[in-house]
Amino acid sequence: MADKTENTLQQNIDRRKRVNRIKNGIVAVISIWMLVSVILCVTLLVRVIHLENTLREITKSLPQAECVEDVVTQNSPKSDTTEKYDTDGQPVQDANTEQNTKNLAKEGEQLKVYLTFDDGPSKNTERILEILDEYNVKATFFVTGKTDAESQALYKKIVEQGHTLGMHSYSHKYSVIYESLEAFEQDYQQLHDYLYEVTGVDCKYYRFPGGSSNKVSNQDMREFITYLNEQGVTYFDWNVSSGDATSQAYTAEELIRNVMGDVTKYKTSVVLMHDAATKTTTVDGLASLIEQLQSMGAHILPIDEDTTPIQHVSIEDTQ
Ligand code: ZN
């Protein structure tokens, strides 16, 4: 009898031990699971913060990348015969048909080529300035508003080296500058005054973000053109594009081919290129492009008051 009781007691103790072991096991598993979860969360948090920083870095250089002149306009290197549209998407008479006809080069005629760079300054501007200096070539830089010391030094360097400093809007944000005439005026004044303050130059040349034939403006672009004219400012589009702002991801050789294929057509070629931080192929191809232009006898010049304006939209359309 005593043995039986002892046995039952022993069994109970054993059962309790087993239950305790299972309990401990469960607690251990939950603890490990929680620990792993915490580690995972922390790791993910660190990763998110890291990615946010990377994104911020990328976004910093994006005002330039936002520029997609070729994408938002009908004009491209092969655009001479392309139908153009007004801001409502309605086909319009090509404002520069006459301009193009007058501008066609005759056999053996001296060609003028204006290399223009939009969206800078950036780290690529420095390299472009070096290459231009090496070949003693002057170009035109349509810049946006950047307040860091490097950019300020580059605005000055552009001027000091004899290039033309042109305006390309302060913010380069289509949705802001093309919202209304007031918004456009404000952005224009901000950039004009800022560049004057930094370089002492009263800029007289403007390139619309997206070009005058862009399809993103809410307003009639002719209102902005009229305003610029009132300020004594001439706006320039382009009739030759390197294609460096398109989604095609052209190689340096292809960019050169795009330009060389079209500059032979015109007496005056205004070539669209970009000196944004992401446009490294433009820099890579520049020396070779200059060599090829020079070897065909083209005059490479900076835009000045004698330059024939190349414009996609004519103000005469308003009359
Ligand atoms: Zn641009």
Side-chain angles (χ1 to χ4, degrees):
M1 185 69 185
D3 275 358
K4 208 177 172 186
T5 313
E6 212 170 288
N7 264 344
T8 314
L9 216 79
Q10 189 57 47
Q11 274 173 4
N12 279 343
I13 290 168
D14 286 348
R15 195 177 302 131
R16 215 165 291 148
K17 273 185 182 168
R18 269 204 308 278
V19 168
N20 277 341
R21 268 204 301 276
I22 291 167
K23 264 189 196 164
N24 288 340
I26 290 169
V27 169
V29 166
I30 290 173
S31 302
I32 289 167
W33 179 73
M34 281 174 74
L35 192 69
V36 168
S37 298
V38 168
I39 290 170
L40 243 153
C41 280
V42 170
T43 314
L44 284 173
L45 193 71
V46 168
R47 190 106 186 90
V48 164
I49 291 170
H50 176 71
L51 283 173
E52 270 179 355
N53 285 339
T54 314
L55 191 67
R56 210 167 296 137
E57 294 278 301
I58 293 169
T59 319
K60 260 192 200 167
S61 63
L62 268 193
Q64 304 99 335
E66 191 196 322
C67 188
V68 280
E69 266 83 22
D70 269 354
V71 181
V72 295
T73 68
Q74 294 297 312
N75 254 50
S76 71
K78 313 285 173 244
S79 68
D80 296 330
T81 53
T82 309
E83 199 171 20
K84 291 188 177 62
Y85 300 85
D86 66 14
T87 45
D88 299 323
Q90 299 301 311
V92 292
Q93 196 67 35
D94 188 341
N96 53 348
T97 303
E98 197 189 336
Q99 178 182 276
N100 275 348
T101 314
K102 280 186 189 164
N103 192 26
L104 289 176
K106 296 186 189 79
E107 187 79 32
E109 200 163 12
Q110 175 74 64
L111 305 179
K112 290 178 182 173
V113 176
Y114 297 85
L115 301 178
T116 68
F117 299 92
D118 289 9
D119 299 350
S122 79
K123 61 181 183 343
N124 281 332
T125 313
E126 184 77 55
R127 292 180 62 200
I128 287 171
L129 285 170
E130 279 167 18
I131 295 166
L132 294 172
D133 189 46
E134 199 179 310
Y135 288 88
N136 195 25
V137 159
K138 307 298 177 203
T140 303
F141 292 83
F142 289 106
V143 299
T144 58
K146 291 170 192 174
T147 52
D148 56 291
E150 289 89 353
S151 297
Q152 290 188 345
L154 285 165
Y155 295 130
K156 287 181 193 160
K157 207 164 177 182
I158 288 169
V159 173
E160 282 161 11
Q161 294 193 355
H163 305 288
T164 297
L165 187 66
M167 298 169 282
H168 191 46
S169 83
Y170 192 94
S171 71
H172 204 286
K173 289 184 178 137
Y174 300 123
S175 57
V176 177
I177 57 173
Y178 295 146
E179 182 59 31
S180 65
L181 182 58
E182 292 68 35
F184 181 81
E185 286 177 14
Q186 198 191 346
D187 180 277
Y188 165 84
Q189 284 298 343
Q190 193 181 358
L191 181 63
H192 180 273
D193 295 353
Y194 177 62
L195 293 177
Y196 183 74
E197 191 188 303
V198 175
T199 66
V201 172
D202 173 16
C203 292
K204 289 291 174 202
Y205 308 102
Y206 194 92
R207 172 164 289 152
F208 291 104
S212 68
S213 55
N214 76 77
K215 290 170 74 185
V216 293
S217 173
N218 296 324
Q219 306 294 316
D220 187 334
M221 291 300 290
R222 289 168 295 193
E223 280 187 41
F224 305 142
I225 297 168
T226 305
Y227 172 74
L228 291 178
N229 289 349
E230 285 165 5
Q231 312 307 306
V233 169
T234 307
Y235 92 86
F236 277 82
D237 287 312
W238 59 92
N239 54 357
V240 175
S241 171
S242 66
D244 66 355
T246 63
S247 53
Q248 310 271 356
Y250 288 118
T251 62
E253 289 70 31
E254 286 167 333
L255 295 179
I256 296 169
R257 215 175 304 144
N258 288 340
V259 175
M260 295 307 292
D262 275 4
V263 286
T264 48
K265 291 180 191 170
Y266 306 113
K267 286 190 271 190
T268 294
S269 289
V270 175
V271 181
L272 173 68
M273 293 187 284
H274 294 81
D275 60 330
T278 49
K279 307 294 178 193
T280 47
T281 44
T282 307
V283 185
D284 296 341
L286 185 59
S288 177
L289 174 64
I290 292 171
E291 283 172 17
Q292 290 186 37
L293 287 168
Q294 287 180 333
S295 71
M296 65 181 254
H299 270 181
I300 306 174
L301 301 162
I303 285 176
D304 65 16
E305 56 193 23
D306 296 325
T307 308
T308 307
I310 300 298
Q311 301 175 332
H312 298 165
V313 173
S314 167
I315 198 68
E316 266 84 60
D317 293 353
T318 54
Q319 293 163 356

